[in-house]
Amino acid sequence: AQKVTQAQTEISVVEKEDVTLDCVYETRDTTYYLFWYKQPPSGELVFLIRRNSFDEQNEISGRYSWNFQKSTSSFNFTITASQVVDSAVYFCALRITLGSQGNLIFGKGTKLSVKP
Amino acid sequence: ETGVTQTPRHLVMGMTNKKSLKCEQHLGHNAMYWYKQSAKKPLELMFVYSLEERVENNSVPSRFSPECPNSSHLFLHLHTLQPEDSALYLCASSQESKGVSTDTQYFGPGTRLTVL
């Protein structure tokens, strides 16, 4: 079975703090994709990153960075020097590649509040 | 218009009404999706139209009826809904290859539905 766990329901930080959002996934498939999406109060899910299961290189994009570790089935997301505009719900998602008919398995999300 | 658009953004309806949600994608994709996002529940895939095939989540009640007249437009027809159907309904699109689901889903802003 496929499953995504985001154990942190809510996180509150003060601006300029670093924050890490955890994501643990379960799948028996060897080929899969992992995603992070951001959902601001407006509701739209904004795509942030996609990683495939064969690429364990960490990625950095501005203040955002992602740490993919297959050994622990984790795909954690770190925001450096957080800003108020980072306040949103963040979703981690898993997609297997064969016969999945487009099914993204989402975690329950982590609500991040960044206070000024 | 760019990306994925959805109309209306907000909808209030009675249990005896019939209404439709509309989604349009301007990305040249060949697959479209309906998701339901209820409070405190993970995002739930309702329907997929991919490569001219329709796939549905068998747990979706028949009071929800999708229609996909072409690869750019997707509708969700609603009739005799229940108050528990109140949720954010998100549309997404992606570019798929036969048998292999690899690509990123891009989401619209959603329709906030309230059933009285």
Side-chain angles (χ1 to χ4, degrees):
Chain A
Q2 337 290 334
K3 185 179 177 182
V4 175
T5 302
Q6 293 180 255
Q8 305 148 309
T9 307
E10 291 192 43
I11 300 177
S12 182
V13 299
V14 176
E15 220 173 7
K16 297 184 184 175
E17 282 185 26
D18 298 348
V19 58
T20 296
L21 310 181
D22 298 332
C23 173
V24 174
Y25 63 92
E26 293 176 32
T27 180
R28 291 181 184 164
D29 294 276
T30 56
T31 305
Y32 51 89
Y33 285 79
L34 295 164
F35 300 80
W36 274 96
Y37 286 88
K38 173 183 179 180
Q39 188 176 39
S42 59
E44 180 176 357
L45 276 169
V46 178
F47 165 71
L48 295 178
I49 190 172
R50 179 185 80 174
R51 302 298 283 176
N52 73 56
S53 52
F54 299 109
D55 183 1
E56 284 193 73
Q57 269 196 331
N58 291 331
E59 181 154 340
I60 298 174
S61 175
R63 295 184 298 106
Y64 295 170
S65 62
W66 291 269
N67 184 350
F68 177 28
Q69 297 208 341
K70 284 180 80 169
S71 59
T72 55
S73 297
S74 65
F75 186 42
N76 297 338
F77 172 31
T78 297
I79 302 175
T80 303
S82 59
Q83 300 176 2
V84 173
V85 293
D86 296 326
S87 297
V89 181
Y90 291 86
F91 292 93
C92 181
L94 165 71
R95 187 172 184 185
I96 62 173
T97 57
L98 291 178
S100 66
Q101 296 283 331
N103 199 0
L104 266 177
I105 311 296
F106 282 89
K108 292 186 177 181
T110 297
K111 183 177 180 181
L112 174 64
S113 299
V114 182
K115 303 196 185 305
Chain B
E1 294 274 20
T2 58
V4 181
T5 57
Q6 290 186 243
T7 54
R9 294 294 308 276
H10 299 272
L11 178 62
V12 179
M13 59 187 288
M15 290 192 284
T16 57
N17 292 158
K18 286 185 182 181
K19 296 285 185 184
S20 295
L21 310 185
K22 179 183 175 182
C23 175
E24 185 172 358
Q25 60 95 0
H26 310 268
L27 300 168
H29 289 162
N30 62 5
M32 297 186 77
Y33 312 81
W34 280 117
Y35 284 87
K36 176 182 179 182
Q37 186 178 30
S38 306
K40 299 180 181 177
K41 286 177 98 174
L43 274 145
E44 175 189 4
L45 179 66
M46 300 176 73
F47 301 102
V48 180
Y49 280 87
S50 179
L51 302 170
E52 299 180 3
E53 288 183 18
R54 172 177 142 181
V55 178
E56 55 198 88
N57 181 338
N58 289 331
S59 67
V60 177
S62 59
R63 55 186 183 268
F64 294 92
S65 173
E67 179 189 359
C68 191
N70 55 61
S71 59
S72 299
H73 294 86
L74 183 65
F75 296 89
L76 187 62
H77 303 300
L78 318 170
H79 63 99
T80 59
L81 294 192
Q82 304 297 312
E84 61 263 28
D85 297 321
S86 298
L88 181 68
Y89 289 85
L90 290 159
C91 174
S93 72
S94 69
Q95 184 65 22
E96 298 298 317
S97 301
K98 215 166 183 61
V100 181
S101 300
T102 61
D103 217 328
T104 302
Q105 292 181 22
Y106 292 90
F107 286 79
T111 295
R112 175 72 62 185
L113 174 67
T114 303
V115 181
L116 301 176

